Amino acid sequence: MMGLPGGCLMIVLKANKKRKAMTISREELKERLAQLPRLQLASLPTPLEELKRLSAHLAGPQIWVKRDDLTGLAFGGNKIREFEYQIAQAVEQGYDVLVHSAAAQSNQSRQTAAVAAKLGLSAVVVGRDDAHAQTQGNLLLTHLFGAEVDLPAPEEQAQAVAAKMAALTAAGHRPFHTSSDARIFRSVAYVDGALELLAQCEEQGVAPAAIYLCSGAHTHVGLVVAFKALGVDMRVVGISPSPRDDREAAEGHLALARECAAVLGLDLSLKVEDFESYAAFVGPDYGVVTPEGREALHLLAQQEGLLLDPSYTSKAMAGLLAHVRAGWWRSEQSLIFLHTGGTPALFAYAKDLGY
């Protein structure tokens, strides 16, 4: 795993640890972000749109969607925003191969391959021969972007990734794994994303009580760090796409948040309770369509013409819908749903969705 490159750390505050952490202005936070290397990959800002028909259908709070599925490159998604900061580290340090390994229909594999193509780098994807390994959706796009693709059996994937990284290094290449190398800069990217969102909320007169998102780690962490740094009172409600213990997930997010804050020289009082994440909507496993996710996917498509994906955003929306129906939120409140993308996977899930 890469460490933080020299020159990228901001000034770390060294005052008495007992003093209370202070908030900073948006302008100061922007200045700190501006000192970091950054690529221009995404079409920003992404829209903030009101979901009027969905809100009326639920007879609950006003629901808005932040369209990070529209970041532009390679059918968009949150990773394109994150890669502006993360892969900037690879470019700065002369890495020449972008590597990723996950499920056959991985959104991040697709986006890794696309960014490599745009930057003139090589891409290697070590997926796995799972239930959705047909050449469709994200896997088709990964091939189209020119990546070298290998799909070993799931139990052989970890060994195959290690072997490929070693072989690339032995051949004189410098491979950069987009899941692990300089990973904290993916959280940093959503500190910037939070600034963009807050400006849009002010422009449109939206005062959200909470923002919902599918929470793996980095997008969630970046939002919390930004809101803490700015003194913004907004709940960030994460819905996990994978089975995990909610408390352990929060502890992991806390560790990442402290690392992210250190990169930006932020003196924050962070605690595990700041990270709200629920694994109750995962279903049997990652990537398995649930009845609640299927209902959310159909509801958004038919009420708003808005497409969700089967593994991430449909489950996050299922969580939001369940909380609204359970009375978590009043009708006069507003909620934002952060759409993190992933829709190309739909084309590999027709049977799972009942078609």
Side-chain angles (χ1 to χ4, degrees), residues 271-297:
K271 56 187 183 300
V272 72
E273 290 77 15
D274 295 326
F275 298 93
E276 189 175 354
S277 180
Y278 302 99
F281 303 94
V282 174
D285 203 353
Y286 166 81
V288 177
V289 173
T290 64
E292 297 82 5
R294 186 184 295 113
E295 188 256 340
L297 198 152

PDB file of all heavy atoms in Angstrom, residues 271-297:
ATOM      1  N   LYS A 271     -15.844  10.624  16.500  1.00  0.00           N
ATOM      2  CA  LYS A 271     -16.133   9.463  17.330  1.00  0.00           C
ATOM      3  C   LYS A 271     -16.917   8.447  16.510  1.00  0.00           C
ATOM      4  O   LYS A 271     -17.486   8.773  15.462  1.00  0.00           O
ATOM      5  CB  LYS A 271     -16.900   9.870  18.586  1.00  0.00           C
ATOM      6  CG  LYS A 271     -18.178  10.625  18.342  1.00  0.00           C
ATOM      7  CD  LYS A 271     -18.768  11.136  19.631  1.00  0.00           C
ATOM      8  CE  LYS A 271     -20.109  11.844  19.430  1.00  0.00           C
ATOM      9  NZ  LYS A 271     -20.005  13.018  18.523  1.00  0.00           N
ATOM     10  N   VAL A 272     -16.961   7.234  16.995  1.00  0.00           N
ATOM     11  CA  VAL A 272     -17.567   6.155  16.235  1.00  0.00           C
ATOM     12  C   VAL A 272     -19.047   6.411  15.948  1.00  0.00           C
ATOM     13  O   VAL A 272     -19.585   6.014  14.907  1.00  0.00           O
ATOM     14  CB  VAL A 272     -17.351   4.800  16.950  1.00  0.00           C
ATOM     15  CG1 VAL A 272     -18.216   4.692  18.205  1.00  0.00           C
ATOM     16  CG2 VAL A 272     -17.606   3.631  16.015  1.00  0.00           C
ATOM     17  N   GLU A 273     -19.710   7.134  16.848  1.00  0.00           N
ATOM     18  CA  GLU A 273     -21.137   7.419  16.672  1.00  0.00           C
ATOM     19  C   GLU A 273     -21.410   8.359  15.502  1.00  0.00           C
ATOM     20  O   GLU A 273     -22.567   8.526  15.091  1.00  0.00           O
ATOM     21  CB  GLU A 273     -21.719   8.005  17.962  1.00  0.00           C
ATOM     22  CG  GLU A 273     -21.829   7.008  19.109  1.00  0.00           C
ATOM     23  CD  GLU A 273     -20.498   6.731  19.795  1.00  0.00           C
ATOM     24  OE1 GLU A 273     -19.536   7.525  19.580  1.00  0.00           O
ATOM     25  OE2 GLU A 273     -20.404   5.741  20.534  1.00  0.00           O
ATOM     26  N   ASP A 274     -20.383   9.000  14.980  1.00  0.00           N
ATOM     27  CA  ASP A 274     -20.562   9.890  13.828  1.00  0.00           C
ATOM     28  C   ASP A 274     -20.817   9.118  12.543  1.00  0.00           C
ATOM     29  O   ASP A 274     -21.187   9.721  11.531  1.00  0.00           O
ATOM     30  CB  ASP A 274     -19.316  10.765  13.630  1.00  0.00           C
ATOM     31  CG  ASP A 274     -19.085  11.729  14.770  1.00  0.00           C
ATOM     32  OD1 ASP A 274     -20.080  12.217  15.348  1.00  0.00           O
ATOM     33  OD2 ASP A 274     -17.909  11.991  15.099  1.00  0.00           O
ATOM     34  N   PHE A 275     -20.623   7.793  12.570  1.00  0.00           N
ATOM     35  CA  PHE A 275     -20.712   6.999  11.343  1.00  0.00           C
ATOM     36  C   PHE A 275     -21.882   6.028  11.448  1.00  0.00           C
ATOM     37  O   PHE A 275     -21.818   5.004  12.119  1.00  0.00           O
ATOM     38  CB  PHE A 275     -19.382   6.280  11.094  1.00  0.00           C
ATOM     39  CG  PHE A 275     -18.270   7.262  10.901  1.00  0.00           C
ATOM     40  CD1 PHE A 275     -17.497   7.659  11.987  1.00  0.00           C
ATOM     41  CD2 PHE A 275     -18.050   7.863   9.677  1.00  0.00           C
ATOM     42  CE1 PHE A 275     -16.498   8.604  11.837  1.00  0.00           C
ATOM     43  CE2 PHE A 275     -17.062   8.818   9.519  1.00  0.00           C
ATOM     44  CZ  PHE A 275     -16.278   9.187  10.598  1.00  0.00           C
ATOM     45  N   GLU A 276     -22.960   6.398  10.786  1.00  0.00           N
ATOM     46  CA  GLU A 276     -24.228   5.680  10.843  1.00  0.00           C
ATOM     47  C   GLU A 276     -24.337   4.800   9.599  1.00  0.00           C
ATOM     48  O   GLU A 276     -24.456   5.306   8.482  1.00  0.00           O
ATOM     49  CB  GLU A 276     -25.359   6.704  10.893  1.00  0.00           C
ATOM     50  CG  GLU A 276     -26.719   6.155  11.175  1.00  0.00           C
ATOM     51  CD  GLU A 276     -27.757   7.262  11.338  1.00  0.00           C
ATOM     52  OE1 GLU A 276     -27.374   8.456  11.336  1.00  0.00           O
ATOM     53  OE2 GLU A 276     -28.948   6.921  11.438  1.00  0.00           O
ATOM     54  N   SER A 277     -24.288   3.493   9.788  1.00  0.00           N
ATOM     55  CA  SER A 277     -24.306   2.578   8.652  1.00  0.00           C
ATOM     56  C   SER A 277     -25.112   1.343   9.016  1.00  0.00           C
ATOM     57  O   SER A 277     -24.988   0.822  10.129  1.00  0.00           O
ATOM     58  CB  SER A 277     -22.877   2.188   8.259  1.00  0.00           C
ATOM     59  OG  SER A 277     -22.872   1.315   7.160  1.00  0.00           O
ATOM     60  N   TYR A 278     -25.924   0.888   8.048  1.00  0.00           N
ATOM     61  CA  TYR A 278     -26.817  -0.239   8.310  1.00  0.00           C
ATOM     62  C   TYR A 278     -26.627  -1.319   7.260  1.00  0.00           C
ATOM     63  O   TYR A 278     -26.703  -1.059   6.059  1.00  0.00           O
ATOM     64  CB  TYR A 278     -28.275   0.235   8.303  1.00  0.00           C
ATOM     65  CG  TYR A 278     -28.547   1.319   9.324  1.00  0.00           C
ATOM     66  CD1 TYR A 278     -28.580   2.660   8.946  1.00  0.00           C
ATOM     67  CD2 TYR A 278     -28.744   1.005  10.662  1.00  0.00           C
ATOM     68  CE1 TYR A 278     -28.797   3.663   9.880  1.00  0.00           C
ATOM     69  CE2 TYR A 278     -28.968   1.999  11.608  1.00  0.00           C
ATOM     70  CZ  TYR A 278     -28.996   3.330  11.210  1.00  0.00           C
ATOM     71  OH  TYR A 278     -29.209   4.323  12.138  1.00  0.00           O
ATOM     72  N   ALA A 279     -26.415  -2.553   7.739  1.00  0.00           N
ATOM     73  CA  ALA A 279     -26.262  -3.703   6.839  1.00  0.00           C
ATOM     74  C   ALA A 279     -27.549  -4.514   6.740  1.00  0.00           C
ATOM     75  O   ALA A 279     -27.552  -5.602   6.166  1.00  0.00           O
ATOM     76  CB  ALA A 279     -25.128  -4.592   7.321  1.00  0.00           C
ATOM     77  N   ALA A 280     -28.643  -3.976   7.246  1.00  0.00           N
ATOM     78  CA  ALA A 280     -29.902  -4.722   7.295  1.00  0.00           C
ATOM     79  C   ALA A 280     -30.545  -4.912   5.929  1.00  0.00           C
ATOM     80  O   ALA A 280     -31.497  -5.699   5.800  1.00  0.00           O
ATOM     81  CB  ALA A 280     -30.875  -4.008   8.218  1.00  0.00           C
ATOM     82  N   PHE A 281     -30.061  -4.203   4.923  1.00  0.00           N
ATOM     83  CA  PHE A 281     -30.710  -4.246   3.608  1.00  0.00           C
ATOM     84  C   PHE A 281     -29.872  -4.979   2.558  1.00  0.00           C
ATOM     85  O   PHE A 281     -30.187  -4.944   1.378  1.00  0.00           O
ATOM     86  CB  PHE A 281     -31.023  -2.819   3.140  1.00  0.00           C
ATOM     87  CG  PHE A 281     -31.887  -2.073   4.114  1.00  0.00           C
ATOM     88  CD1 PHE A 281     -31.319  -1.259   5.090  1.00  0.00           C
ATOM     89  CD2 PHE A 281     -33.262  -2.220   4.098  1.00  0.00           C
ATOM     90  CE1 PHE A 281     -32.109  -0.593   6.016  1.00  0.00           C
ATOM     91  CE2 PHE A 281     -34.069  -1.563   5.025  1.00  0.00           C
ATOM     92  CZ  PHE A 281     -33.482  -0.747   5.987  1.00  0.00           C
ATOM     93  N   VAL A 282     -28.808  -5.655   3.006  1.00  0.00           N
ATOM     94  CA  VAL A 282     -27.922  -6.363   2.080  1.00  0.00           C
ATOM     95  C   VAL A 282     -28.604  -7.572   1.467  1.00  0.00           C
ATOM     96  O   VAL A 282     -28.446  -7.853   0.268  1.00  0.00           O
ATOM     97  CB  VAL A 282     -26.638  -6.826   2.805  1.00  0.00           C
ATOM     98  CG1 VAL A 282     -25.786  -7.690   1.876  1.00  0.00           C
ATOM     99  CG2 VAL A 282     -25.844  -5.635   3.289  1.00  0.00           C
ATOM    100  N   GLY A 283     -29.390  -8.302   2.260  1.00  0.00           N
ATOM    101  CA  GLY A 283     -29.922  -9.569   1.793  1.00  0.00           C
ATOM    102  C   GLY A 283     -28.927 -10.686   2.023  1.00  0.00           C
ATOM    103  O   GLY A 283     -28.038 -10.579   2.874  1.00  0.00           O
ATOM    104  N   PRO A 284     -29.015 -11.765   1.241  1.00  0.00           N
ATOM    105  CA  PRO A 284     -28.149 -12.926   1.470  1.00  0.00           C
ATOM    106  C   PRO A 284     -26.662 -12.639   1.312  1.00  0.00           C
ATOM    107  O   PRO A 284     -25.843 -13.235   2.000  1.00  0.00           O
ATOM    108  CB  PRO A 284     -28.619 -13.933   0.406  1.00  0.00           C
ATOM    109  CG  PRO A 284     -29.988 -13.495   0.037  1.00  0.00           C
ATOM    110  CD  PRO A 284     -29.998 -12.012   0.179  1.00  0.00           C
ATOM    111  N   ASP A 285     -26.309 -11.732   0.385  1.00  0.00           N
ATOM    112  CA  ASP A 285     -24.893 -11.476   0.150  1.00  0.00           C
ATOM    113  C   ASP A 285     -24.748 -10.271  -0.770  1.00  0.00           C
ATOM    114  O   ASP A 285     -25.734  -9.774  -1.343  1.00  0.00           O
ATOM    115  CB  ASP A 285     -24.220 -12.694  -0.478  1.00  0.00           C
ATOM    116  CG  ASP A 285     -22.716 -12.745  -0.253  1.00  0.00           C
ATOM    117  OD1 ASP A 285     -22.154 -11.759   0.289  1.00  0.00           O
ATOM    118  OD2 ASP A 285     -22.098 -13.759  -0.609  1.00  0.00           O
ATOM    119  N   TYR A 286     -23.507  -9.825  -0.921  1.00  0.00           N
ATOM    120  CA  TYR A 286     -23.192  -8.767  -1.889  1.00  0.00           C
ATOM    121  C   TYR A 286     -23.615  -9.202  -3.295  1.00  0.00           C
ATOM    122  O   TYR A 286     -23.394 -10.354  -3.691  1.00  0.00           O
ATOM    123  CB  TYR A 286     -21.695  -8.471  -1.875  1.00  0.00           C
ATOM    124  CG  TYR A 286     -21.250  -7.656  -3.073  1.00  0.00           C
ATOM    125  CD1 TYR A 286     -21.429  -6.279  -3.097  1.00  0.00           C
ATOM    126  CD2 TYR A 286     -20.694  -8.272  -4.195  1.00  0.00           C
ATOM    127  CE1 TYR A 286     -21.062  -5.527  -4.201  1.00  0.00           C
ATOM    128  CE2 TYR A 286     -20.313  -7.529  -5.298  1.00  0.00           C
ATOM    129  CZ  TYR A 286     -20.501  -6.147  -5.304  1.00  0.00           C
ATOM    130  OH  TYR A 286     -20.144  -5.425  -6.401  1.00  0.00           O
ATOM    131  N   GLY A 287     -24.209  -8.281  -4.034  1.00  0.00           N
ATOM    132  CA  GLY A 287     -24.532  -8.542  -5.430  1.00  0.00           C
ATOM    133  C   GLY A 287     -25.760  -9.390  -5.662  1.00  0.00           C
ATOM    134  O   GLY A 287     -26.088  -9.704  -6.805  1.00  0.00           O
ATOM    135  N   VAL A 288     -26.457  -9.787  -4.587  1.00  0.00           N
ATOM    136  CA  VAL A 288     -27.671 -10.588  -4.709  1.00  0.00           C
ATOM    137  C   VAL A 288     -28.881  -9.663  -4.614  1.00  0.00           C
ATOM    138  O   VAL A 288     -29.027  -8.917  -3.638  1.00  0.00           O
ATOM    139  CB  VAL A 288     -27.737 -11.670  -3.616  1.00  0.00           C
ATOM    140  CG1 VAL A 288     -29.038 -12.456  -3.712  1.00  0.00           C
ATOM    141  CG2 VAL A 288     -26.535 -12.598  -3.716  1.00  0.00           C
ATOM    142  N   VAL A 289     -29.729  -9.692  -5.621  1.00  0.00           N
ATOM    143  CA  VAL A 289     -30.911  -8.824  -5.640  1.00  0.00           C
ATOM    144  C   VAL A 289     -31.868  -9.244  -4.530  1.00  0.00           C
ATOM    145  O   VAL A 289     -32.138 -10.430  -4.334  1.00  0.00           O
ATOM    146  CB  VAL A 289     -31.611  -8.900  -7.012  1.00  0.00           C
ATOM    147  CG1 VAL A 289     -32.926  -8.132  -6.991  1.00  0.00           C
ATOM    148  CG2 VAL A 289     -30.694  -8.349  -8.100  1.00  0.00           C
ATOM    149  N   THR A 290     -32.388  -8.249  -3.807  1.00  0.00           N
ATOM    150  CA  THR A 290     -33.362  -8.496  -2.739  1.00  0.00           C
ATOM    151  C   THR A 290     -34.743  -8.028  -3.179  1.00  0.00           C
ATOM    152  O   THR A 290     -34.866  -7.163  -4.060  1.00  0.00           O
ATOM    153  CB  THR A 290     -32.968  -7.745  -1.467  1.00  0.00           C
ATOM    154  OG1 THR A 290     -33.018  -6.328  -1.740  1.00  0.00           O
ATOM    155  CG2 THR A 290     -31.564  -8.113  -0.998  1.00  0.00           C
ATOM    156  N   PRO A 291     -35.815  -8.550  -2.586  1.00  0.00           N
ATOM    157  CA  PRO A 291     -37.151  -8.048  -2.911  1.00  0.00           C
ATOM    158  C   PRO A 291     -37.287  -6.548  -2.659  1.00  0.00           C
ATOM    159  O   PRO A 291     -37.917  -5.821  -3.453  1.00  0.00           O
ATOM    160  CB  PRO A 291     -38.063  -8.860  -1.988  1.00  0.00           C
ATOM    161  CG  PRO A 291     -37.307 -10.122  -1.720  1.00  0.00           C
ATOM    162  CD  PRO A 291     -35.862  -9.705  -1.664  1.00  0.00           C
ATOM    163  N   GLU A 292     -36.705  -6.070  -1.556  1.00  0.00           N
ATOM    164  CA  GLU A 292     -36.788  -4.638  -1.240  1.00  0.00           C
ATOM    165  C   GLU A 292     -36.005  -3.807  -2.249  1.00  0.00           C
ATOM    166  O   GLU A 292     -36.461  -2.733  -2.662  1.00  0.00           O
ATOM    167  CB  GLU A 292     -36.242  -4.394   0.164  1.00  0.00           C
ATOM    168  CG  GLU A 292     -37.022  -5.068   1.280  1.00  0.00           C
ATOM    169  CD  GLU A 292     -36.658  -6.537   1.472  1.00  0.00           C
ATOM    170  OE1 GLU A 292     -35.726  -7.029   0.796  1.00  0.00           O
ATOM    171  OE2 GLU A 292     -37.326  -7.191   2.299  1.00  0.00           O
ATOM    172  N   GLY A 293     -34.836  -4.290  -2.669  1.00  0.00           N
ATOM    173  CA  GLY A 293     -34.055  -3.587  -3.671  1.00  0.00           C
ATOM    174  C   GLY A 293     -34.756  -3.584  -5.015  1.00  0.00           C
ATOM    175  O   GLY A 293     -34.751  -2.575  -5.735  1.00  0.00           O
ATOM    176  N   ARG A 294     -35.359  -4.713  -5.377  1.00  0.00           N
ATOM    177  CA  ARG A 294     -36.096  -4.804  -6.636  1.00  0.00           C
ATOM    178  C   ARG A 294     -37.275  -3.827  -6.642  1.00  0.00           C
ATOM    179  O   ARG A 294     -37.534  -3.136  -7.628  1.00  0.00           O
ATOM    180  CB  ARG A 294     -36.586  -6.236  -6.853  1.00  0.00           C
ATOM    181  CG  ARG A 294     -37.240  -6.466  -8.215  1.00  0.00           C
ATOM    182  CD  ARG A 294     -37.786  -7.885  -8.341  1.00  0.00           C
ATOM    183  NE  ARG A 294     -36.714  -8.878  -8.313  1.00  0.00           N
ATOM    184  CZ  ARG A 294     -36.534  -9.752  -7.335  1.00  0.00           C
ATOM    185  NH1 ARG A 294     -37.343  -9.738  -6.268  1.00  0.00           N
ATOM    186  NH2 ARG A 294     -35.552 -10.628  -7.396  1.00  0.00           N
ATOM    187  N   GLU A 295     -37.977  -3.749  -5.502  1.00  0.00           N
ATOM    188  CA  GLU A 295     -39.106  -2.815  -5.402  1.00  0.00           C
ATOM    189  C   GLU A 295     -38.634  -1.369  -5.532  1.00  0.00           C
ATOM    190  O   GLU A 295     -39.264  -0.554  -6.221  1.00  0.00           O
ATOM    191  CB  GLU A 295     -39.815  -3.020  -4.061  1.00  0.00           C
ATOM    192  CG  GLU A 295     -41.117  -2.241  -3.925  1.00  0.00           C
ATOM    193  CD  GLU A 295     -41.020  -0.993  -3.036  1.00  0.00           C
ATOM    194  OE1 GLU A 295     -40.071  -0.920  -2.229  1.00  0.00           O
ATOM    195  OE2 GLU A 295     -41.895  -0.115  -3.151  1.00  0.00           O
ATOM    196  N   ALA A 296     -37.514  -1.039  -4.884  1.00  0.00           N
ATOM    197  CA  ALA A 296     -36.969   0.315  -4.969  1.00  0.00           C
ATOM    198  C   ALA A 296     -36.551   0.647  -6.394  1.00  0.00           C
ATOM    199  O   ALA A 296     -36.815   1.751  -6.903  1.00  0.00           O
ATOM    200  CB  ALA A 296     -35.775   0.461  -4.027  1.00  0.00           C
ATOM    201  N   LEU A 297     -35.929  -0.310  -7.056  1.00  0.00           N
ATOM    202  CA  LEU A 297     -35.468  -0.094  -8.428  1.00  0.00           C
ATOM    203  C   LEU A 297     -36.650   0.173  -9.352  1.00  0.00           C
ATOM    204  O   LEU A 297     -36.622   1.109 -10.166  1.00  0.00           O
ATOM    205  CB  LEU A 297     -34.674  -1.330  -8.881  1.00  0.00           C
ATOM    206  CG  LEU A 297     -33.745  -1.175 -10.085  1.00  0.00           C
ATOM    207  CD1 LEU A 297     -32.594  -2.168  -9.976  1.00  0.00           C
ATOM    208  CD2 LEU A 297     -34.493  -1.388 -11.386  1.00  0.00           C
TER     209      LEU A 297
END
